[in-house]
Amino acid sequence: MSAKACREHYGKKLLAKYLGEASNGEVQVEDRAVLITAAILDPSSGVTWDSIAAENPWLLGTRLVAKPDQLIKRRGKAGLLAINKTFEECKAWVMERMMKEQTVEVVTGVLDTFLIEPFVPHEQQDEYYICIQSTRVGEEMLFYHEGGVDVGDVDSKAERLQVPLLEEVTAATVTSQLITRVPLQRQEKLASFLVTFLRVYRQLNFVYAEINPIVVDQTGRVTPLDLAAKIDETAAFLCQSQWGEVDFPAPFGRAEFKEEAFIRDMDAKTGASLKLTILNHKGRVWTMVAGGGASVVYADTISDLGFSHELANYGEYSGAPSEEQTFKYAETILSLMTRNMDDRGKVLIVGGGIANFTDVAATFKGLILAIRSFADEIRANNIKIYVRRAGPNYQEGLRMMKQLAVELGLPIKVWGPETDAVACVPLALGLAEEESLPEYDPDSAAIKTVQKDTAEEPALNATTSAQVVAPAAASGEGSGNLVQFDSSTRCIVYGLQQRAVQGMLDFDFMCKREKPSVAAMVFPFSGNHYVKFYWGTSETLIPVYTTIKEALQKSPDVTVMVNFASFRSVYDTMTDALEFAGQLKTIGIIAEGVPESQTRAINLLAEEKGVGIIGPATVGGIKPGCFRIGNTGGMLDNIVSSKLYRPGSVAYVSKSGGMSNELNNIICHNSDGVCEGVAIGGDRYPGSRFIDHLLRYQSNPDVKVLVLLGEVGGVDEYDVCDAMADGRLTKPLVAWCIGTCAGCFSYEVQFGHAGACARGKGETAADKNAALAAAGAHVPPSFASFGTTIHTVYSGLIESGAITPAIEPEVPKVPMDYTWAKRLGLVRKPAAFISTISDDRGEELKYAGMPISEVFSEDIGVGGVLSLLWFRRKLPAYATKFIEMVLMVTADHGPAVSGAHNTIVAARAGKDLVSSLVSGLLTIGPRFGGALDDAARMMSGAVDKGMDPLTFTKEMRKENKLIMGIGHRIKSLDNPDMRVVIIKDFAQKHFPSNACLDFALGVEQITTSKRANLILNVDGCIAVCFVDLMRTCGAFTREEADELIENGCLNGLFVLGRSIGFIGHYLDQKRLKQPLYRHPWDDISYITGEM
């Protein structure tokens, strides 16, 4: 969604700030204003009329104007203006209306936001009308010498000035072409304002701004009184710092729900597309549709069938959302859906076109999770679920849904690509028997064939046709710059899009091309290298270059570039690519969210350079048997089912990329298939337009039928009407513009595509469908009849002999990638590694099955993490605390011990941290640190044999073995090691049993009677306590505990703890900048004689 209406208060604040900056202080407008919200009614908010007056003292001494600031049109005529009032009068006027329902024309909503600003005394003749609106080729400025509520139809009577892109307008031009009817003494100031207004409009990425009225008083001071403005939301990454806190309220009459903000926040944090608009929260018909174009088609069909008043929501989920994102999206819809009970029951339509690259089964896992969690509410609300979905792995997704229906006993009906996208809608609405449309059968999955009886030629309502007034079409003839794709067309791909490139190569192989269509890839963030791809069953290498220049130099036969750059990088990559217009003739821009200002600049530059553009916001295009852009046409099974491996007789052009795949399906089932298809992209100003491609198809003798799928918003369809009228298009055209449902709503709805919103007269889908029908196109009564209309036209051409169906070639076979085959459950192989302790594949990293978010929310600490990763158990709190104590007491034992010494020497030799750490760690063994494991084995072994400490001590003496864990260089019972005291006291206080510890303390009593320093040392104490912990904490069997100790986990604790100290010594030496260490001679005994 691109153009978003902002509050008047916010728009005026922007103008007040930036008009002065852009004119070096010459243009200044009033900036005093206060926004009053419903917080004024909430005592806990801290907002009171007194606090507002204190923060804005000018309110008390100024005559004021008060009005709602909620995107309400014609407030004056609705009596929603308080003019020339005191602060107290404004306060009373606002409070009388705050949070009250108000009907404005046909829209009813709640007033909750008001604007108070200074009253500007003036006469009626001081009021004027100004509007700037963006067009494909620049900005159009409208001016009328009268303004206010009674200005009338300014579209028909205003003066107009077209300002081309990248060109400034001068005060002289404004004066001579726009404001000639303004008194001379006011013209200079007004012209200066208009010039600066346009400059700021462009700087801040406005797409529409209307001031009515704007007042110019006798002194020449200019004051905007009422402002309506829209900003290009996609330009946030360019202008956010200038915009500040953007406020885009919902249209008046449609309440904003917190769930909409939640989905909007999710959408902002993902590369997928997640949209949700609540139309009627008490409605009975809810949708969850994949794809921007498909979402409009479903809303249209529901509305066309007379259920617009029951349509609860509009939205989409597309762009391969994850399982977790789909779950949250579905959960949000089900939560809203089950909030209000309706005795008649409700329906949820889960729909979509045929996905290009989204794994249907993967997203359905999230949907199924949501349905499971709401199963009881679904039953209680008598909700029926109707599913129609297709695309990659759809078979598994539909199988899962059917299985869910049986398992939970829920009324879920399922269809796949064997039916048209919206065929299930009449069933869901109760307008057709459910038995009339057989459900998806995973065993047969039969593809629908069209009945050969001819359908009556549809026609639009004559009254509607007669009322259509076509707006001025976009200027310019159809572009001849686009490449006519053939089997020799080659391209470079910008971006490391390996999946898309492999798909293109598979299509090439299927079409029996001699060599791959992708000559090279461009990726600036790594050096030149090669990437391996499959070419059939063999492998091939595709070079990757860091610059477009080098890629083109090395591939002189390339004429096309597929640009996968992000929306932030598109402009820079395109200006770079267009430097090579002598070679590149067509560029496809895949990214969504490119600012309109940048798109228009790219289009202008491409036109000057003679390069054709497909996109932005497109999946691309396809020429069956020859060439495809990126992911167009979807996975190979869809390529086969839609017969895109060989050309047919029908060529289409569509706005929607997702619906282009649906068109492939529809055309295949209703004709001999697609000859060529292009999705020009859902933005308002696509690089190439409908007419550009239709004129190409007109000149292609292989194309017999033209198909156009347009949508609400924009005027490009009128170019097609003109071409039909003047004879440039003579082939039969089947056309439909989606978005007819927009007329059913009393407020403006922005649909999924950035350009899918009517901004002016003639931009509605109904107007354009009527105009196309009047021009001679075959326009069905609804999208549901689109396929039937294509079949009718195609059948007529066969009967007339214009088309002779060709013999169907053998269906080509392309080996399936192992990864995809495995996902589909078709193959298996043993894994090279097995890991049971962590999993990074899902939405969240997991330690032994525990999500990382729970690790922190439950505050299990480092000891808890270690227990999960080392032992695959969640140990009791005292156990994880003990582990942390062990790490703390073993962290360091001074610089003299061998490990620290080695670390210090390596650090002073200039080695890096890891090398120095390893140098220290390599000293750990039987003589340093490694006593823990041996002490544990020795002591626990004696306990297990039932030996007493005295017998054990005598046995060790007899075998001439040292008792591991006993002995210290300087400590004794009278001078204890505090580390031992801490560990011993904790174990005796918290552990269920201390059998090994008690045994070791008994051994200590015997050994210290021989020598005072033969105490239980810290290694021994840790070892025996750890054995007690593992055996008695309840998390392990005796065998599991003994195996873990045998595997060396005790030494692991010492290594982990001592690494802390080693790293400290390394950093200490670096901080002190110590030189290379050389051992002193006097500390070495040189014995050089004979021994």
Side-chain angles (χ1 to χ4, degrees):
M1 301 182 185
S2 178
K4 292 293 231 19
C6 66
R7 293 195 192 277
E8 179 179 5
H9 175 254
Y10 178 73
K12 283 183 174 178
K13 284 290 184 184
L14 287 179
L15 290 184
K17 179 177 181 180
Y18 291 104
L19 285 171
E21 289 185 13
S23 63
N24 293 321
E26 181 181 334
V27 177
Q28 299 288 343
V29 297
E30 179 66 69
D31 67 347
R32 293 178 297 170
V34 175
L35 205 62
I36 311 295
T37 69
I40 198 75
L41 302 178
D42 180 8
S44 65
S45 69
V47 178
T48 65
W49 287 102
D50 289 341
S51 68
I52 291 171
E55 292 175 11
N56 302 275
W58 56 268
L59 288 168
L60 301 177
T62 309
R63 303 298 291 184
L64 303 169
V65 172
K67 53 190 173 183
D69 192 359
Q70 294 177 236
L71 312 185
I72 301 173
K73 299 178 180 178
R74 291 173 283 279
R75 288 170 295 191
K77 289 189 175 182
L80 292 176
L81 286 176
I83 299 175
N84 196 13
K85 304 293 184 182
T86 65
F87 178 64
E88 288 299 321
E89 290 171 330
C90 283
K91 171 182 171 181
W93 188 87
V94 168
M95 294 300 286
E96 183 181 343
R97 290 160 178 78
M98 181 66 78
M99 298 308 295
K100 304 289 176 55
E101 274 200 351
Q102 174 76 39
T103 299
V104 180
E105 297 180 344
V106 297
V107 180
T108 300
V110 174
L111 299 176
D112 58 16
T113 306
F114 291 82
L115 176 62
I116 299 179
E117 56 190 6
F119 169 68
V120 179
H122 64 278
E123 303 297 330
Q124 179 63 42
Q125 60 267 27
D126 297 333
E127 294 186 355
Y128 303 97
Y129 173 91
I130 295 172
C131 178
I132 303 178
Q133 53 192 11
S134 297
T135 67
R136 183 180 183 85
V137 295
E139 270 65 47
E140 182 180 45
M141 303 180 73
L142 284 76
F143 180 85
Y144 193 59
H145 64 283
E146 297 175 1
V149 294
D150 298 317
V151 67
D153 183 8
V154 289
D155 280 335
S156 63
K157 61 186 182 182
E159 302 293 337
R160 296 172 182 265
L161 174 62
Q162 298 288 342
V163 184
L165 281 173
L166 309 181
E167 292 186 17
E168 291 276 354
V169 68
T170 64
T173 302
V174 168
T175 302
S176 63
Q177 297 190 35
L178 278 185
I179 60 174
T180 54
R181 300 173 74 176
V182 173
L184 288 174
Q185 66 271 23
R186 300 182 179 184
Q187 287 185 1
E188 181 180 353
K189 291 283 189 180
L190 184 55
S192 177
F193 175 87
L194 290 174
V195 169
T196 310
F197 185 25
L198 176 61
R199 191 176 301 139
V200 170
Y201 174 101
R202 287 174 164 175
Q203 174 190 341
L204 299 180
N205 276 266
F206 281 90
V207 296
Y208 177 85
E210 178 189 65
I211 303 175
N212 180 37
I214 187 168
V215 167
V216 184
D217 62 21
Q218 298 298 327
T219 67
R221 181 174 176 81
V222 179
T223 307
L225 292 193
D226 287 295
L227 171 71
K230 292 184 179 181
I231 295 175
D232 182 2
E233 186 186 26
T234 61
F237 73 95
L238 296 173
C239 301
Q240 188 65 65
S241 61
Q242 295 172 288
W243 291 347
E245 287 295 324
V246 189
D247 186 9
F248 296 128
F252 182 68
R254 185 178 72 75
E256 182 94 72
F257 284 73
K258 69 179 187 298
E259 288 83 1
E260 294 173 298
F262 172 72
I263 297 299
R264 195 160 52 242
D265 183 60
M266 277 179 60
D267 180 57
K269 297 175 181 176
T270 175
S273 180
L274 302 168
K275 305 289 188 293
L276 179 64
T277 300
I278 308 303
L279 304 173
N280 173 14
H281 70 282
K282 294 184 178 180
R284 295 176 49 238
V285 182
W286 291 76
T287 64
M288 181 173 163
V289 181
S295 61
V296 183
V297 167
Y298 276 84
D300 282 352
T301 305
I302 292 165
S303 299
D304 292 343
L305 293 172
F307 280 76
S308 61
H309 64 292
E310 294 282 16
L311 182 57
N313 70 306
Y314 167 78
E316 62 153 318
Y317 71 107
S318 58
S322 67
E323 178 183 331
E324 179 69 14
Q325 290 164 345
T326 309
F327 165 71
K328 290 180 178 178
Y329 187 88
E331 181 184 47
T332 301
I333 289 178
L334 290 171
S335 171
L336 288 162
M337 196 176 181
T338 55
R339 194 166 295 172
N340 298 291
M341 189 78 74
D342 192 307
D343 294 338
R344 297 169 296 171
K346 299 180 181 181
V347 296
L348 172 63
I349 300 173
V350 180
I354 300 175
N356 287 291
F357 55 86
T358 298
D359 186 333
V360 174
T363 58
F364 270 18
K365 287 178 182 178
L367 171 60
I368 288 169
L369 271 176
I371 292 175
R372 283 186 187 281
S373 64
F374 276 84
D376 292 338
E377 291 89 342
I378 290 171
R379 294 188 190 95
N381 283 269
N382 189 22
I383 294 173
K384 295 182 178 181
I385 301 174
Y386 296 81
V387 180
R388 191 279 184 178
R389 199 70 175 95
N393 209 8
Y394 80 91
Q395 300 94 332
E396 176 64 12
L398 298 185
R399 185 198 64 75
M400 290 159 50
M401 292 300 298
K402 289 177 74 73
Q403 181 179 326
L404 181 73
V406 173
E407 179 186 337
L408 299 181
L410 294 176
I412 301 176
K413 299 292 183 180
V414 176
W415 294 271
E418 73 281 357
T419 65
D420 287 339
V422 295
C424 67
V425 175
L427 280 66
L429 300 180
L431 302 177
E433 296 294 330
E434 291 186 353
E435 294 73 20
S436 64
L437 189 66
E439 278 194 80
Y440 169 76
D441 182 354
D443 296 322
S444 64
I447 296 296
K448 176 180 75 79
T449 57
V450 175
Q451 299 296 321
K452 297 302 179 185
D453 51 316
T454 57
E456 182 179 350
E457 177 65 23
L460 286 178
N461 181 283
T463 305
T464 305
S465 258
Q467 292 176 342
V468 170
V469 179
S475 60
E477 285 288 323
S479 170
N481 299 330
L482 292 155
V483 167
Q484 291 282 12
F485 302 128
D486 58 36
S487 58
S488 64
T489 300
R490 301 196 79 205
C491 72
I492 58 171
V493 173
Y494 189 96
L496 212 56
Q497 294 287 325
Q498 292 172 251
R499 181 177 174 182
V501 171
Q502 184 62 68
M504 294 174 71
L505 267 58
D506 286 342
F507 179 77
D508 298 340
F509 186 81
M510 182 182 282
C511 298
K512 298 180 172 58
R513 280 182 60 125
E514 293 183 3
K515 59 182 178 178
S517 59
V518 180
M521 302 167 71
V522 179
F523 190 64
F525 308 108
S526 64
N528 291 357
H529 62 284
Y530 287 88
V531 176
K532 185 171 64 176
F533 292 95
Y534 286 107
W535 179 251
T537 56
S538 61
E539 293 179 314
T540 187
L541 294 174
I542 300 291
V544 180
Y545 301 103
T546 56
T547 64
I548 296 171
K549 179 179 181 180
E550 186 175 5
L552 292 174
Q553 286 175 341
K554 297 289 179 63
S555 309
D557 57 341
V558 163
T559 56
V560 176
M561 184 174 101
V562 183
N563 190 353
F564 279 98
S566 72
F567 65 88
R568 289 182 174 85
S569 306
V570 160
Y571 183 78
D572 292 335
T573 59
M574 287 301 297
T575 53
D576 187 10
L578 290 170
E579 291 296 316
F580 307 97
Q583 183 174 348
L584 288 175
K585 293 304 176 187
T586 297
I587 302 176
I589 305 174
I590 309 301
E592 275 190 77
V594 181
E596 289 184 5
S597 59
Q598 292 190 341
T599 297
R600 294 185 299 155
I602 290 169
N603 292 343
L604 177 64
L605 183 59
E607 188 70 29
E608 293 173 354
K609 300 271 190 176
V611 176
I613 303 292
I614 299 173
T618 181
V619 71
I622 191 165
K623 181 73 175 291
C626 294
F627 181 79
R628 79 160 169 171
I629 295 175
N631 297 300
T632 313
M635 299 290 287
L636 292 183
D637 56 348
N638 190 66
I639 297 287
V640 171
S641 65
S642 297
K643 299 181 179 179
L644 297 174
Y645 52 83
R646 53 84 176 144
S649 302
V650 182
Y652 70 82
V653 59
S654 164
K655 269 273 196 183
S656 167
M659 287 305 295
S660 69
N661 229 0
E662 195 66 38
L663 284 179
N664 292 329
N665 190 47
I666 291 172
I667 291 169
C668 171
H669 297 158
N670 292 282
S671 70
D672 63 353
V674 174
C675 182
E676 185 175 346
V678 171
I680 61 174
D683 284 0
R684 186 170 179 84
Y685 305 111
S688 54
R689 295 164 293 155
F690 296 123
I691 189 63
D692 300 326
H693 297 280
L694 291 174
L695 290 177
R696 287 198 303 111
Y697 302 157
Q698 174 71 29
S699 64
N700 184 348
D702 295 330
V703 175
K704 306 300 181 184
V705 181
L706 308 177
V707 170
L708 183 154
L709 185 64
E711 67 182 21
V712 61
V715 296
D716 289 347
E717 289 86 351
Y718 292 104
D719 290 330
V720 178
C721 297
D722 293 342
M724 295 181 74
D726 62 26
R728 285 177 293 149
L729 288 179
T730 58
K731 293 179 179 179
L733 171 67
V734 179
W736 179 253
C737 294
I738 64 176
T740 54
C741 63
C744 300
F745 308 121
S746 57
Y747 42 78
E748 181 182 281
V749 176
Q750 169 72 62
F751 295 105
H753 293 150
C757 182
R759 297 188 192 171
K761 185 181 293 185
E763 292 193 20
T764 67
D767 284 348
K768 293 194 280 190
N769 284 329
L772 286 162
H778 300 266
V779 179
S782 70
F783 181 81
S785 303
F786 203 53
T788 304
T789 305
I790 292 172
H791 176 68
T792 300
V793 173
Y794 174 75
S795 299
L797 293 175
I798 289 181
E799 291 174 8
S800 69
I803 295 178
T804 302
I807 298 173
E808 194 66 39
E810 180 183 357
V811 177
K813 293 180 173 59
V814 173
M816 184 180 294
D817 282 353
Y818 172 79
T819 304
W820 186 248
K822 186 178 180 183
R823 184 179 292 184
L824 296 179
L826 301 178
V827 297
R828 64 186 182 188
K829 84 172 186 65
F833 288 94
I834 298 175
S835 176
T836 63
I837 64 170
S838 64
D839 190 345
D840 62 337
R841 295 171 299 173
E843 275 297 298
E844 222 179 317
L845 174 65
K846 293 180 179 178
Y847 293 159
M850 187 177 193
I852 192 69
S853 57
E854 292 183 20
V855 168
F856 285 93
S857 64
E858 296 186 19
D859 195 21
I860 66 174
V862 172
V865 170
L866 186 145
S867 69
L868 291 173
L869 294 177
W870 285 22
F871 312 131
R872 298 178 58 244
R873 300 286 196 280
K874 185 180 176 185
L875 299 184
Y878 71 83
T880 60
K881 174 63 175 176
F882 177 77
I883 290 172
E884 291 176 359
M885 290 172 65
V886 170
L887 297 179
M888 294 163 69
V889 300
T890 60
D892 195 48
H893 201 213
V897 297
S898 59
H901 179 83
N902 268 23
T903 301
I904 291 170
V905 171
R908 292 177 61 168
K911 303 297 287 185
D912 59 272
L913 186 147
V914 173
S915 300
S916 302
L917 173 62
V918 170
S919 175
L921 291 176
L922 288 175
T923 65
I924 296 175
R927 298 184 179 181
F928 171 59
L932 279 81
D933 280 346
D934 288 342
R937 294 190 192 100
M938 199 173 278
M939 299 283 190
S940 63
V943 172
D944 295 342
K945 292 176 182 178
M947 300 173 71
D948 60 75
L950 181 58
T951 304
F952 169 72
T953 306
K954 289 179 179 179
E955 189 74 26
M956 292 296 102
R957 186 185 307 120
K958 184 187 299 183
E959 295 179 8
N960 201 27
K961 288 183 178 178
L962 292 174
I963 300 176
M964 306 305 293
I966 293 292
H968 196 281
R969 190 169 62 85
I970 58 172
K971 295 295 182 181
S972 65
L973 289 177
D974 296 328
N975 178 29
D977 185 342
M978 289 309 300
R979 296 177 299 171
V980 174
V981 174
I982 292 168
I983 294 293
K984 179 181 65 174
D985 289 350
F986 184 87
Q988 289 174 333
K989 181 178 180 180
H990 295 284
F991 288 8
S993 172
N994 299 109
C996 287
L997 174 60
D998 291 343
F999 179 85
L1001 292 174
V1003 172
E1004 180 185 50
Q1005 290 300 317
I1006 296 168
T1007 55
T1008 53
S1009 66
K1010 304 291 183 181
R1011 194 186 307 163
N1013 67 338
L1014 291 179
I1015 62 169
L1016 178 65
N1017 60 32
V1018 69
D1019 290 353
C1021 187
I1022 290 172
V1024 294
C1025 290
F1026 195 76
V1027 172
D1028 287 336
L1029 174 67
M1030 298 294 279
R1031 288 181 173 183
T1032 62
C1033 70
F1036 309 98
T1037 65
R1038 175 65 173 271
E1039 292 74 17
E1040 288 173 333
D1042 289 348
E1043 182 182 2
L1044 285 167
I1045 292 169
E1046 188 64 31
N1047 288 341
C1049 63
L1050 267 168
N1051 269 356
L1053 284 174
F1054 182 83
V1055 168
L1056 182 58
R1058 192 51 59 93
S1059 292
I1060 299 171
F1062 290 171
I1063 292 172
H1065 286 296
Y1066 170 85
L1067 297 174
D1068 186 46
Q1069 296 301 308
K1070 291 296 185 181
R1071 180 170 53 250
L1072 298 172
K1073 296 180 174 54
Q1074 291 297 286
L1076 177 68
Y1077 175 79
R1078 181 179 176 87
H1079 203 71
W1081 293 340
D1082 58 4
D1083 195 34
I1084 302 173
S1085 292
Y1086 290 94
I1087 304 175
T1088 58
E1090 293 184 4
M1091 293 184 64

